Amino acid sequence: MSDAALQGWMQRLRQEDLPAFALTTQQIAMIADKKVSTANDLASVILQDSAMTTRILRMVNSVYYNLSGKEIDTVSYAIVVLGVKQVRNIAL
């Protein structure tokens, strides 16, 4: 997703009275776009938003991503499995 598109979504979220979601999404995008970031950096932001935490864990435990069938219950491991860019896409 381009920076212009991301900024457009951020503006729309702010206007729709979703400032907490907009802030979480903005922080996720900033961390994902860094050249050097860790899964723990991203996990700390995601864990501040229970809806986002649920969304990421539900996605990583889906049949598409979790071929082993073993439940993944930590956000940091979910980020490793999904990848930082995919987590950013899920968040948006």
Side-chain angles (χ1 to χ4, degrees):
M1 181 175 278
S2 70
D3 286 339
L6 177 62
Q7 292 304 321
W9 273 105
M10 299 305 302
Q11 185 62 28
R12 184 172 179 198
L13 290 171
R14 285 187 203 104
Q15 291 172 348
E16 298 290 328
D17 294 328
L18 298 169
F21 181 70
L23 178 62
T24 301
T25 306
Q26 183 178 21
Q27 289 175 336
I28 289 171
M30 286 177 14
I31 291 170
D33 290 339
K34 285 184 181 178
K35 288 194 183 274
V36 177
S37 61
T38 66
N40 286 333
D41 295 338
L42 194 52
S44 67
V45 172
I46 292 170
L47 287 169
Q48 293 175 16
D49 185 329
S50 60
M52 189 69 66
T53 301
T54 301
R55 181 183 299 169
I56 297 297
L57 290 175
R58 187 175 297 141
M59 183 66 70
V60 77
N61 284 300
S62 70
V63 175
Y64 185 78
Y65 289 105
N66 189 354
L67 300 176
S68 70
K70 289 178 77 175
E71 184 178 10
I72 297 171
D73 58 359
T74 63
V75 173
S76 58
Y77 188 59
I79 293 166
V80 171
V81 171
L82 294 171
V84 173
K85 298 298 181 189
Q86 185 63 25
V87 170
R88 184 185 86 163
N89 292 339
I90 293 168
L92 298 177

